[in-house]
C-alpha cells in the first residue's frame, strides 16, 4: 500500500516511516499542506492537522473535493470539535498523539478494509515461523507441525495480529480495532469466541495466553500441536 504522510516534524515522521516500512507500507512524506495537495495519488493519507502553512482541516476538505482516498487525521489537539469537523469533512478516522505504531497500523488496516484498499502486511520475507506454527500472510494459510489448519477470515486476522509481536501483551481493544473495526460496538464476547476457536484449531490452549484484565499474548515456545480444523 502506498501511504502519503503529511507531517512536518522530523522526530515524528522519521520513526513512522521506518516503522511502516517494516509492515510493508511504501511511504511518501511531505511537510506542508501545499505539498500534500500537489502530491501524487496514494492509497492512504496520514494527515497531521498542525502544519506550518495551512490548517490540516483545510487540507482534508480540499483533498476530499477531488479524491476519495482514505484519510486518517493525526492530531495533538484534544478538542472534540476538531475531530468532529474533520470526520464531517470526509476523514475516515483520527488518531491522537502520542500513539503507538501498532495502533496506527491497526487503524490503517481497519480503514483499508472498510474502503476496499489493499492493506499491507508485515514484511517477513515469506512465512513467519513461530515454533511449530507457520503463517503465510500472502496466501493467508497456516500450518502447524506441517499440517494445514483451516481458519476463518477473522481467525486468521486474529492470529496475524497476535503474531505481529510474539510474546507481547496485546490488549482486547487493540485486537477488536485490528480484526474488526476501531468503532466496533458489538459484544466483546465475540473476541473470546474467536480466541477459543483459534486455540482449538491450533491444537493447544496454551498457545494463546489470557492476560487477565489486559488481553492476550501469543506464546513462542512452539508447543502447539495440530488440532482438528
Amino acid at each position: 500500500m502506498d501511504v502519503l504522510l503529511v507531517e512536518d516534524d522530523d522526530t515524528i515522521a522519521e520513526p513512522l516511516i521506518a516503522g511502516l516500512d517494516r509492515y510493508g507500507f511504501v511511504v511518501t512524506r511531505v511537510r506542508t499542506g501545499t505539498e500534500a495537495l500537489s502530491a501524487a495519488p496514494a492509497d492512504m493519507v496520514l494527515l497531521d492537522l498542525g502544519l506550518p502553512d495551512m490548517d490540516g482541516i483545510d487540507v482534508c476538505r480540499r483533498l476530499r473535493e477531488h479524491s476519495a482516498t482514505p484519510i486518517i487525521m493525526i492530531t495533538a489537539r484534544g478538542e472534540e470539535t476538531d475531530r468532529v469537523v474533520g470526520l464531517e469533512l470526509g476523514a475516515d478516522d483520527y488518531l491522537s498523539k502520542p500513539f503507538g505504531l501498532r495502533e496506527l497500523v491497526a487503524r490503517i488496516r481497519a480503514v483499508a478494509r472498510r474502503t476496499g484498499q489493499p492493506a499491507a502486511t508485515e514484511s517477513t520475507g515469506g512465512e513467519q515461523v513461530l515454533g511449530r506454527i507457520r503463517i503465510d500472510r500472502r496466501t493467508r494459510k497456516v500450518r502447524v507441525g506441517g499440517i494445514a489448519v483451516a481458519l476463518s477470515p477473522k481467525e486468521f486476522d486474529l492470529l496475524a495480529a497476535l503474531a505481529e509481536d510474539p510474546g507481547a501483551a496485546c490488549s482486547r481493544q487493540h485486537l477488536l480495532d485490528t480484526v474488526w473495526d476501531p468503532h466496533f460496538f458489538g459484544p466483546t464476547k465475540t473476541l473470546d469466541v474467536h480466541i477459543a476457536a483459534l486455540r482449538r484449531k491450533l491444537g493447544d490452549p496454551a498457545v494463546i495466553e489470557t492476560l487477565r484484565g489486559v488481553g492476550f499474548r501469543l506464546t513462542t515456545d512452539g508447543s502447539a500441536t495440530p488440532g482438528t480444523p
Side-chain angles (χ1 to χ4, degrees):
M1 173 187 285
D2 293 323
V3 174
L4 176 65
L5 173 62
V6 189
E7 172 61 69
D8 65 306
D9 189 335
D10 290 342
T11 64
I12 295 175
E14 291 175 2
L16 271 185
I17 293 170
L20 290 172
D21 178 71
R22 293 198 301 272
Y23 280 88
F25 297 98
V26 179
V27 182
T28 298
R29 185 243 181 140
V30 297
R31 292 174 169 79
T32 67
T34 302
E35 290 177 308
L37 294 172
S38 61
D43 298 315
M44 182 83 63
V45 177
L46 305 180
L47 174 62
D48 181 28
L49 296 189
L51 298 173
D53 61 335
M54 59 194 302
D55 194 293
I57 293 290
D58 292 328
V59 178
C60 178
R61 175 180 55 80
R62 292 174 61 178
L63 284 173
R64 189 51 77 233
E65 287 175 353
H66 61 80
S67 172
T69 300
I71 300 171
I72 298 177
M73 300 185 303
I74 298 175
T75 175
R77 303 173 185 175
E79 293 83 357
E80 182 182 8
T81 301
D82 287 319
R83 299 195 295 268
V84 170
V85 169
L87 293 171
E88 288 182 343
L89 287 174
D92 296 271
D93 202 354
Y94 66 87
L95 196 57
S96 297
K97 298 176 182 177
F99 55 86
L101 177 63
R102 289 204 303 170
E103 182 180 7
L104 174 60
V105 171
R107 297 296 182 95
I108 292 174
R109 289 175 174 168
V111 169
R113 287 195 299 271
R114 294 201 305 272
T115 58
Q117 296 294 322
T121 57
E122 187 174 2
S123 179
T124 60
E127 291 185 337
Q128 182 180 10
V129 180
L130 299 169
R132 293 168 56 83
I133 302 173
R134 305 178 74 93
I135 305 169
D136 189 331
R137 288 176 169 82
R138 185 179 63 83
T139 62
R140 296 180 64 86
K141 292 182 178 179
V142 173
R143 301 179 74 85
V144 181
I147 299 174
V149 177
L151 301 182
S152 72
K154 290 297 187 188
E155 289 164 358
F156 180 89
D157 290 342
L158 185 55
L159 176 61
L162 289 166
E164 286 177 1
D165 193 357
C170 201
S171 72
R172 296 176 65 90
Q173 191 59 53
H174 172 74
L175 292 172
L176 288 169
D177 287 350
T178 303
V179 179
W180 280 269
D181 188 287
H183 308 295
F184 176 75
F185 294 111
T188 58
K189 188 172 178 60
T190 298
L191 175 58
D192 297 288
V193 170
H194 282 78
I195 287 285
L198 187 55
R199 283 170 169 157
R200 184 177 68 255
K201 292 183 178 182
L202 294 178
D204 181 3
V207 76
I208 300 175
E209 180 183 355
T210 298
L211 304 175
R212 193 172 301 278
V214 178
F216 303 92
R217 76 180 184 96
L218 186 68
T219 62
T220 56
D221 60 8
S223 60
T225 55
T228 301

